[in-house]
Structures are given as C-alpha cells and as structure tokens.
Amino acid sequence: MAQREIVRFGDDTLRKKCREVTEFDEKLWILLDDMYETMMNNNGVGLAAPQVGILRRVVVIDVDDDNGKIELVNPVIVGMRGKQVESEGCLSEPGKYGYVKRPAKVKVQALNSYGKPVTYIGTGLLARAFCHEIDHLNGILFSDKVIEWVEEE
Ligand code: CO
C-alpha cells in the first residue's frame, strides 16, 4: 500500500464527472488500498478517487462503526429520507468546515471490489459520508452546498 497525494480545492480534477469502473482487477484493488491508507493517515472518514487524481467512480468510507471499511464502486443513492444539518469538512480543503443539509438516512447500491452488488443503509455521519463522497464523483464539492461556514479559530 502507498499513500497518495490529495488533490486540493481549486484543482479542475475535482470538478470532473468520473467514469464508471468496468475492470475489477489488481489496479482497482491497489487504488482502493491506497485510498484507504491515504484517508486513514489523514484522519478522514471518506475519500473519493478524484481526490487522488483518478477520475473513476470509486469511494472508500470508514466512520468507525460496525461496517468498518466500506468500499464502493459505481455507487448510486437509491433512497433517502429525512434531513440533517451538521458541520462537514473535506480532506481536499483541510481546516475548513461548514454546515451542510443532507438526508438523515440514505440507501446506497454499489459494487464491491470484485464486482458483486452490495447495499448499504446509513444514518447520521454515514449517510452524510455517502452523500459527500458520491457528490465528489459528479464534480460537486461540499463548499457548493454550505449554508453557513464554521468560524475559523
Ligand atoms: Co470531500
């Protein structure tokens, strides 16, 4: 595994729409491993492939719950309910936090690293992470949705 460099806000890469994954091979597994290591080393709870410069629909999430590491390939939100407004940040914009409205509960369908269908239901932080990371795959950043920025210390 290797840590990869994180692309920062302002870079065009983060504004591109990512392409679907079609090959479930060693290259994908290495990307997933590297993304997870990069996320954990930076104390993040989610990371999307464009944040390491790869324009593919790949996400890793770990909100330190019973799910542990979640790997999502070609994820799609298929259901959402309720709303929550909490402060949110991004590893591509360290130190900046803002309040964003998200669904309280989200259902996601995706493929795992072997191309097998998986379904997740998330509430709270996990629901937020699903929305934030899947937004990244469509070139959308949390800053686009901030209702109010958290004052810097
Ligand atoms: Co982000």
Side-chain angles (χ1 to χ4, degrees):
M1 291 209 285
Q3 192 167 224
R4 301 207 188 182
E5 196 173 325
I6 297 179
V7 175
R8 303 292 169 160
F9 278 26
D11 191 310
D12 273 355
T13 307
L14 295 178
R15 290 304 190 178
K16 301 266 164 67
K17 189 168 161 65
C18 298
R19 283 165 297 147
E20 294 215 326
V21 171
T22 53
E23 308 282 325
F24 297 82
D25 56 6
E26 183 97 34
K27 200 174 167 193
L28 174 65
W29 303 332
I30 290 169
L31 172 64
L32 282 161
D33 284 349
D34 288 357
M35 284 172 61
Y36 190 71
E37 183 175 336
T38 304
M39 179 185 80
M40 295 307 271
N41 286 350
N42 288 281
N43 302 311
V45 298
L47 192 70
Q51 292 182 274
V52 293
I54 306 293
L55 293 172
R56 288 284 180 180
R57 304 187 81 79
V58 176
V59 162
V60 294
I61 288 172
D62 192 333
V63 297
D64 203 19
D65 65 359
D66 291 343
N67 290 299
K69 175 169 74 174
I70 295 175
E71 296 177 331
L72 302 174
V73 177
N74 303 342
V76 179
I77 293 175
V78 294
M80 51 177 85
R81 194 145 39 118
K83 66 171 182 179
Q84 55 169 320
V85 178
E86 297 290 342
S87 84
E88 193 169 315
C90 182
L91 289 179
S92 292
E93 185 75 328
K96 287 265 196 186
Y97 298 91
Y99 289 91
V100 180
K101 185 172 141 188
R102 301 285 191 188
K105 190 175 183 181
V106 173
K107 184 178 181 183
V108 173
Q109 284 177 349
L111 300 174
N112 68 12
S113 62
Y114 300 101
K116 291 259 161 59
V118 288
T119 301
Y120 289 95
I121 291 172
T123 59
L125 179 59
L126 183 56
R128 177 169 295 281
F130 284 144
C131 295
H132 178 116
E133 302 311 332
I134 291 170
D135 271 354
H136 270 301
L137 305 181
N138 297 316
I140 299 165
L141 302 175
F142 86 104
S143 52
D144 301 340
K145 298 184 168 180
V146 166
I147 297 164
E148 189 182 349
W149 288 97
V150 175
E151 294 279 328
E152 285 178 66
E153 298 280 311

